[in-house]
Amino acid sequence: MGEESRLAAVVALAQGMAAAHSSREAWRAAAGGARRALGGSFAALSVWERELGRLRVLVNVGELAEGEEEFPEDESYPVYQFAEITEFLHEQWAGGGEPDAWVETAEGPEEGRAGYCHQRVAALRRRGRGCCVVAPIVLHGRAWGELYVARPVGEPVFGRADADFATVLAAVVAAGIAQTERLEEARRLAFTDSLTGLANRRAVDARLDEAVELHRREGAVVSLVVCDVNGLKRVNDTLGHSVGDRLLERFGTVLSLCGAMLPGALAARLGGDEFCLLAVGPSADEVVKAADEVCRRAVELGIGDGVACGVASTEDPIGPVRSARRLFRLADAAQYRAKAERAAHPVVAGRQGPDDPVVRLADEPSREADGERRRFRGRHAPG
């Protein structure tokens, strides 16, 4: 490969990683770009998990051998079997060197180079590969993992120039991983409540829009639980805001634990003393059961006065749900009724007969109720 072709390959790899919208996409772009750049048939990206003492494979791309998966659940190797990830790097850096890549073949160590580990040679033979080039990935001054590219038996063996190029590619991959981590942290902060660590209102907006669209398109059951922590103002006024914050944090933990009863449910703090659970898929009865557990556990917190909880589900007789706004109005109206009645259990929209007062309140809110209750004022259009 000529100089211009290699430069183009580096640019393509960097652009592929920059276009990724998630870590998985970035890993795939890194491994795939390196495989193409080095003319390999297979490539993998692995991370060094120091606390577990292992190299864990994040992604495999190209011609996969039997048992290999693109995104393996738990393909990992003890670091002691591949000690070069630590020993090679540390020894080289201590001597003022750089974390260069190296070549291994199914025949054994390359001429003039010490073989690092017979396990790699055995793995090459077992998977029908003739050679590989391994490039350490260094992030924030520390060994992060490795980039691995292989060729099949019968193809030209990687040379020193390929190893040098792999070192360059690993540096590009490291920069891409760092950028992806920064973007994911920014996204996490944008969709996370800083006090409780739960999702925030922005996250609920996005997820609820998607959920209602799925309901309209495929009939998926979408359920929303809206909770209001009782007694927060009293706690703040008498015990201080730090205790009030602790009440919110502890209730957030309760909501998260109970939300785990519903696969894939999103637990969120909307703001102030208002929280919610959003579930897509579980039945309305399952959601009500989880909400009832929220009420029970909230009473046991010891501070505050429990929680007012309202539930609205597309599986209940609440009429057509064409917008996220309407489902939120229904759950909010149920929560308002639970608070007004000081109910110890959730109030569920649509379960009080054909003239359900919660549905009536949500669809035709009185001026008095509209002024008193804390209604969700999102960006959704009325529906």
Side-chain angles (χ1 to χ4, degrees), residues 20-23 180 182-192:
H21 292 94
S22 67
S23 289
T180 300
R182 286 192 293 268
L183 289 174
E184 290 204 332
E185 177 64 10
R187 292 190 192 105
R188 187 191 66 79
L189 292 174
F191 290 95
T192 303

Side-chain angles (χ1 to χ4, degrees), residues 224-228 230 275 288 291 295 307-313 316 318 326-352 356-363 365 369 373-376:
L224 190 66
V225 181
V226 172
C227 305
D228 191 283
N230 295 326
F275 292 76
V288 172
C295 292
V307 64
C309 195
V311 182
S313 175
D316 283 321
I318 57 176
R326 182 166 190 270
L327 191 65
F328 228 122
R329 280 207 311 265
L330 286 158
D332 193 46
Q335 178 270 320
Y336 170 72
R337 189 172 181 86
K339 182 175 280 289
E341 296 177 353
R342 299 192 177 186
H345 303 281
V347 170
V348 186
R351 295 195 175 185
Q352 298 181 54
D356 188 287
V358 171
V359 176
R360 191 173 67 250
L361 177 65
D363 290 343
R373 68 194 180 98
R374 290 187 176 186
R375 299 176 65 235
F376 178 75

Side-chain angles (χ1 to χ4, degrees), residues 19 81 86 96 114 120 122 149 152 180 182 213 253 271 273 297 312 315 342 348 352 357 365 370:
Q81 291 184 356
T86 55
R120 288 193 194 274
V149 180
T180 300
R182 286 192 293 268
E213 178 59 31
T253 300
D273 55 4
R297 287 176 177 257
E315 196 174 50
R342 299 192 177 186
V348 186
Q352 298 181 54
D370 207 28

